[in-house]
């Protein structure tokens, strides 16, 4: 599981907890290959993995289809995270 953090006002808060990078690697896809399968740029995939981009629901679904995972498996985060 990949935990992505950002420092704001000297406090570290979790902004995204996702398994996108892990799921992508499990199906042997590069960021570029996943981007091509989902119709976005490699930079967009990188930003999502880093927690610096909030993808649309449609993009989340396309990503999940490409890596053969559910939304919960890739993008779920617990309340308060």
């Amino acid at each position: 599981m990949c935990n992505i953090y950002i420092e704001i006002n000297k406090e570290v808060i979790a902004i995204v907890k996702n398994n996108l990078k892990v799921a992508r690697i499990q199906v042997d896809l590069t960021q570029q290959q996943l981007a091509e399968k989902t119709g976005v740029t490699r930079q967009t995939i990188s930003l999502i993995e880093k927690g610096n981009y909030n993808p649309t629901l449609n993009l989340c679904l396309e990503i999940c289809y490409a890596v053969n995972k559910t939304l919960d498996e890739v993008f779920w985060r617990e309340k308060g995270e």
Side-chain angles (χ1 to χ4, degrees), residues 26-59:
Q26 285 175 338
V27 294
D28 199 32
L29 289 175
T30 65
Q31 287 181 344
Q32 183 63 44
Q33 290 167 326
L34 180 57
E36 290 169 2
K37 285 180 170 276
T38 57
V40 297
T41 64
R42 183 205 56 79
Q43 290 84 354
T44 298
I45 299 299
S46 176
L47 289 170
I48 294 169
E49 288 182 358
K50 291 177 183 176
N52 294 330
Y53 182 83
N54 215 2
T56 65
L57 178 56
N58 284 337
L59 179 52

Side-chain angles (χ1 to χ4, degrees), residues 4 20 25 28 32 34 38 40-41 60 62 67 75 77:
I4 311 298
L20 177 54
I25 291 169
D28 199 32
Q32 183 63 44
L34 180 57
T38 57
V40 297
T41 64
C60 289
E62 289 301 319
V67 298
F75 293 102
R77 64 180 184 150

Side-chain angles (χ1 to χ4, degrees), residues 1-4 16-21 48-49 74-75:
M1 186 176 308
C2 296
N3 294 317
I4 311 298
V16 172
K17 184 177 183 180
N18 71 56
N19 294 315
L20 177 54
K21 185 174 183 177
I48 294 169
E49 288 182 358
V74 179
F75 293 102

